[in-house]
């Protein structure tokens, strides 16, 4: 069932990319190793010290705006699948 849910999410992401036009395509990036090394290990270590680390902070800093963005240095736009902030430049938003 999990694979079916994942396939449905992938199809929705592909549809969203196509709907944006301009030949945009969905590109999947495997960052499991980076997540483990730069997020999860720190989370586990903090948990063992009875701290309450927030893995989202490490993920945003190290993976989303680190490893992921580093793979596409010339991309004018990136979407991570979580949230998007649209910036239409100066002037009123459409």
């Amino acid at each position: 069932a999990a694979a079916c849910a994942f396939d449905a999410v992938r199809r929705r992401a592909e549809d969203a990319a196509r709907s944006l036009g301009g030949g945009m395509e969905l590109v999947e990036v495997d960052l499991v190793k980076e997540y483990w090394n730069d997020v999860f290990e720190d989370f586990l270590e903090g948990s063992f010290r009875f701290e309450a680390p927030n893995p989202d902070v490490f993920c945003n800093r190290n993976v989303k705006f680190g490893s992921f963005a580093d793979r596409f240095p010339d991309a004018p736009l990136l979407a991570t699948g979580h949230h998007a902030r649209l910036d239409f430049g100066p002037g009123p938003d459409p």
Side-chain angles (χ1 to χ4, degrees):
C4 293
F6 181 77
D7 290 341
V9 169
R10 178 187 285 133
R11 282 193 300 277
R12 285 198 313 267
E14 289 169 339
D15 291 344
R18 274 194 299 279
S19 74
L20 295 171
M24 188 174 294
E25 64 179 292
L26 175 69
V27 177
E28 294 180 58
V29 179
D30 182 355
L31 294 169
V32 171
K33 184 175 87 174
E34 290 83 352
Y35 184 85
W36 182 272
N37 292 335
D38 298 332
V39 178
F40 196 66
E41 282 185 347
D42 288 340
F43 171 77
L44 288 177
E45 289 173 12
S47 297
F48 289 132
R49 291 189 304 268
F50 300 103
E51 299 171 354
N54 182 344
D56 290 341
V57 172
F58 298 121
C59 185
N60 287 340
R61 182 182 62 218
N62 298 329
V63 179
K64 187 189 301 184
F65 299 115
S67 300
F68 178 74
D70 291 345
R71 296 213 182 167
F72 303 96
D74 298 325
L77 299 170
L78 291 173
T80 63
H82 291 300
H83 307 283
R85 181 181 70 207
L86 301 178
D87 182 356
F88 296 98
D93 289 344

